[in-house]
Amino acid sequence: MLSLHQLEKTFPARAAAVHAFGPVSLDVAEGEFISLLGPSGCGKSTALYIIAGLEHASRGEVRIDGQAVTGPGPERGMVFQNYTLFPWLTVRENTRFSLQLARNADYTASPAAILSRHARADHLIELLGLEAFAHHHPRALSGGMKQRVAIARALVNRPRLLLMDEPFGALDAQTREELQDLMILLHRYERTTTLFVTHDIEEALFVSSRVVVFSKRPGRIIADIPVPFSSADRTPALKLEPAFIELKRELAGLLRHERADDARRQELLHRLVAHPTPRPPASLSL
Amino acid sequence: MSLQPNAWSHLLAVRTPLPRWLHVGLACLGFAGCVGLYLWAGARPDNNPTFIPPIERIATAAQTILSGPDFWSDVRASFGRVTAGLLLAVLFAVPFGLWIGAFRPIEALTQPVVEFLRYVPVPALIPIVMIFFGIGEGAKIALIFLGTFFQLALMVAEEVRRVPNDLVHAAQTLGASRGEILSLVLFRGALPGILDAVRLCNGWAWSYVVVAEMIAATEGLGFRVLRFYRFIQTPNIFVYLLVLGLIGLALDQLFRACNARLFRWADATRR
């Protein structure tokens, strides 16, 4: 349903143009949950912004259901790394934001259909455990809560594609795990095709059905690995299973290869072992 | 509530919060200090009571003025002029500032010109305003409008630019059109800042109305102050100055209260 064809991005700069990523080609089928994994600066977020229509590609194209993407649209919902709730709206108003927009209005819809859209927003609030905060403004919410609202807001319109740009990057480890579990449940329930950008290997393996690995800048796809676990398998215990750890090791190996400083680091380590730094004489410490 | 003796030295640490009672107490002390200074200067043997009249004379003057017919018509006249000029400026400057803040070509086209115009001192505009609008009400309203419109437009534009780009992106991915981004995101997000900008402009507008009334008027607070000067009625001048200060303070507090009440969602540091 989504296809990237020879997609490429170059940022013009005064000294020398920065080649962010590409060419990248990728086909995504209906209902897939794909992680884009790669070292920071590899262009995976830029690729996501291009798919969202918020950035222009330098070359190549993005097609959704055969239609070329030319700008942002409600059929591609997005959850951002930064908190992007509208601070002047309550949680409920935030989730209903898209329902008031002219582009999403269906003038042929019956009153019942319109009501059911509002009911869907409320249902998502409930599903994401936000009822108690429905009338709060975002400034009263924790980071994890804010991202839950952002997810609900993006899903209200039943987008064809959900784009997530390191959505849990700013959260603490525990909240992060909670939200990963929640994403698995949501995907099982909604079956929204999802592209999930992350630099966390475990996160990528745990939530997605397929992991696409980017090389360092300029990012290219160096691996496209199916994750064999069923959604019922995806419990916190999975992270300790040998099969999971084996995949993790494989991906870590791929990414380590992409570290620019690896050879230099090895050399330094060898030199340190060969010529240890002399300790200051013990008599100096009083 | 009391402070530990050693807590006093901590109060001068950078950005230390102050207990409410101490805040109010210090504010009152500031006013009391001004009164004290006035009393001290008035009691000096070399003081001519025409320059610094005793407080009793100011009180008597206040009584006469407040019960007289001129005072309230003066207040009404000045108030009406400020309100009309400021409302007009808000009406035009808010959409204009929204466009400057939202669209780069409009910013490039107009912002440098507006920056230039806002540094033309308002009193210097009086002759040209009088040539265009005569010496009636229109001239005073026009002067307040000219004095606040350009400032306000630029402040509104700045507030609009301060709305995070991520919010615009989020709205776009939810399907918002250009007009909806302008009204539902940029305007709504900038609204607390805009109200604050209007508060500042209100203060300036009161300065401009007094200047305008001193030049050509038959009523108004500024006109009356100049009139008292002609008859060297210092106590009356002081009464009017106090009234001008009180009006300014009251309106400022009113704007702040509105902002705090209407925009509870906004970050406290923004106010």
Side-chain angles (χ1 to χ4, degrees):
Chain A
M1 60 149 305
L2 167 74
S3 71
L4 314 183
H5 182 68
Q6 295 290 312
L7 201 62
E8 203 166 344
K9 179 70 181 180
T10 310
F11 289 106
R14 188 174 288 189
V18 178
H19 188 187
F21 75 88
V24 159
S25 296
L26 183 71
D27 281 296
V28 178
E30 190 88 49
E32 276 194 290
F33 194 124
I34 296 186
S35 283
L36 302 182
L37 180 70
S40 60
C42 72
K44 55 196 190 298
S45 287
T46 311
L48 205 70
Y49 270 71
I50 292 173
I51 298 168
L54 296 170
E55 281 264 9
H56 290 290
S58 306
R59 267 177 293 281
E61 61 173 4
V62 178
R63 283 180 178 275
I64 290 197
D65 302 323
Q67 287 244 306
V69 163
T70 53
E75 77 287 353
R76 278 156 291 140
M78 184 142 172
V79 178
F80 296 81
Q81 181 174 16
N82 298 324
Y83 305 127
T84 56
L85 299 183
F86 303 112
W88 52 90
L89 301 179
T90 63
V91 165
R92 168 179 270 160
E93 290 164 345
N94 261 289
T95 56
R96 289 182 173 185
F97 182 84
S98 62
L99 302 181
Q100 65 181 318
L101 303 175
R103 193 161 162 187
N104 303 326
D106 179 1
Y107 296 107
T108 60
S110 63
I114 290 167
L115 266 182
S116 86
R117 279 160 35 117
H118 284 107
R120 172 164 167 80
D122 287 348
H123 179 58
L124 280 166
I125 286 179
E126 203 184 319
L127 201 66
L128 288 159
L130 296 161
E131 315 97 302
F133 298 94
H135 298 289
H136 285 53
H137 281 100
R139 71 173 223 181
L141 304 184
S142 67
M145 285 294 172
K146 284 181 195 168
Q147 290 306 64
R148 284 172 196 240
V149 182
I151 293 166
R153 184 178 66 178
L155 286 176
V156 162
N157 255 329
R158 298 186 193 277
R160 294 282 288 135
L161 188 62
L162 179 62
L163 305 168
M164 304 183 85
D165 181 23
E166 303 203 27
F168 311 143
L171 305 179
D172 62 89
Q174 203 173 338
T175 314
R176 215 179 155 108
E177 285 196 354
E178 268 173 46
L179 283 170
Q180 289 166 3
D181 288 340
L182 198 68
M183 276 322 293
I184 291 160
L185 274 175
L186 263 181
H187 187 247
R188 223 174 145 174
Y189 189 80
E190 297 268 325
R191 308 235 47 98
T192 314
T193 312
T194 306
L195 274 187
F196 187 98
V197 164
T198 179
H199 57 250
D200 182 332
I201 298 170
E202 195 176 85
E203 181 169 83
L205 278 176
F206 188 60
V207 296
S208 51
S209 56
R210 196 173 139 197
V211 179
V212 172
V213 186
F214 272 58
S215 69
K216 64 172 182 272
R217 191 167 68 205
R220 288 188 178 83
I221 295 176
I222 51 170
D224 190 337
I225 297 168
V227 182
F229 313 113
S230 75
S231 44
D233 284 343
R234 296 175 194 261
T235 60
L238 175 69
K239 293 180 182 173
L240 304 171
E241 292 290 325
F244 188 91
I245 293 169
E246 187 46 48
L247 268 175
K248 199 170 148 183
R249 199 192 314 277
E250 188 186 328
L251 286 174
L254 276 171
L255 282 184
R256 192 162 317 121
H257 219 77
E258 292 308 318
R259 275 173 50 166
D261 61 337
D262 211 45
R264 167 109 184 111
R265 184 182 129 90
Q266 287 300 324
E267 187 202 320
L268 270 173
L269 267 176
H270 280 297
R271 228 192 299 167
L272 270 173
V273 174
H275 312 281
T277 321
R279 283 175 174 277
S283 61
L284 272 182
S285 57
L286 299 170
Chain B
M1 200 165 115
S2 71
L3 289 168
Q4 296 295 315
N6 62 354
W8 289 101
S9 59
H10 290 301
L11 286 176
L12 280 181
V14 175
R15 292 195 168 172
T16 305
L18 198 61
R20 178 90 190 141
W21 62 268
L22 193 54
H23 190 116
V24 174
L26 286 174
C28 292
L29 190 66
F31 278 108
C34 291
V35 174
L37 212 61
Y38 184 92
L39 288 175
W40 170 77
R44 280 169 61 102
D46 58 349
N47 174 46
N48 176 343
T50 312
F51 289 178
I52 304 179
I55 289 217
E56 315 85 75
R57 278 184 57 198
I58 297 182
T60 342
Q63 256 169 2
T64 329
I65 285 171
L66 288 175
S67 54
D70 289 340
F71 176 71
W72 291 108
S73 70
D74 284 342
V75 171
R76 221 177 354 254
S78 298
F79 210 92
R81 288 163 187 154
V82 168
T83 311
L86 193 63
L87 271 183
L88 218 56
V90 170
L91 208 65
F92 287 96
V94 170
F96 186 38
L98 194 57
W99 287 342
I100 298 178
F103 302 113
R104 286 293 155 78
I106 295 181
E107 178 187 323
L109 185 71
T110 60
Q111 179 140 352
V113 178
V114 176
E115 293 271 15
F116 163 76
L117 288 173
R118 81 156 159 172
Y119 281 113
V120 176
V122 174
L125 292 173
I126 292 177
I128 204 84
V129 166
M130 293 213 297
I131 290 173
F132 275 71
F133 296 93
I135 53 168
E137 287 303 297
K140 288 159 198 92
I141 293 170
L143 190 76
I144 294 167
F145 176 82
L146 288 173
T148 50
F149 170 77
F150 299 109
Q151 304 273 5
L152 190 58
L154 291 182
M155 288 194 286
V156 169
E158 190 52 40
E159 291 300 331
V160 169
R161 278 190 287 261
R162 276 170 61 172
V163 175
N165 219 13
D166 279 337
L167 295 187
V168 174
H169 282 157
Q172 283 175 321
T173 60
L174 291 166
S177 67
R178 196 173 56 171
E180 284 164 338
I181 287 169
L182 235 55
S183 61
L184 298 176
V185 181
L186 294 179
F187 177 66
R188 276 304 295 275
L191 210 47
I194 291 175
L195 189 60
D196 211 46
V198 174
R199 176 179 69 85
L200 292 174
C201 283
N202 176 60
W204 300 329
W206 276 92
S207 310
Y208 303 148
V209 82
V210 168
V211 173
E213 287 169 348
M214 282 182 164
I215 299 220
T218 51
E219 57 177 354
L221 295 166
F223 159 77
R224 202 66 62 189
V225 170
L226 204 70
R227 181 107 190 198
F228 292 146
Y229 154 75
R230 298 237 163 86
F231 297 99
I232 327 256
Q233 293 169 317
T234 335
N236 295 10
I237 294 181
F238 276 113
V239 172
Y240 266 59
L241 292 184
L242 283 173
V243 166
L244 279 166
L246 283 175
I247 290 176
L249 189 68
L251 288 176
D252 197 86
Q253 291 299 317
L254 191 72
F255 270 106
R256 279 177 199 273
C258 282
N259 212 336
R261 198 161 180 87
L262 291 174
F263 306 120
R264 252 175 253 219
W265 55 266
D267 193 355
T269 56
R270 286 286 312 278
R271 289 199 206 105

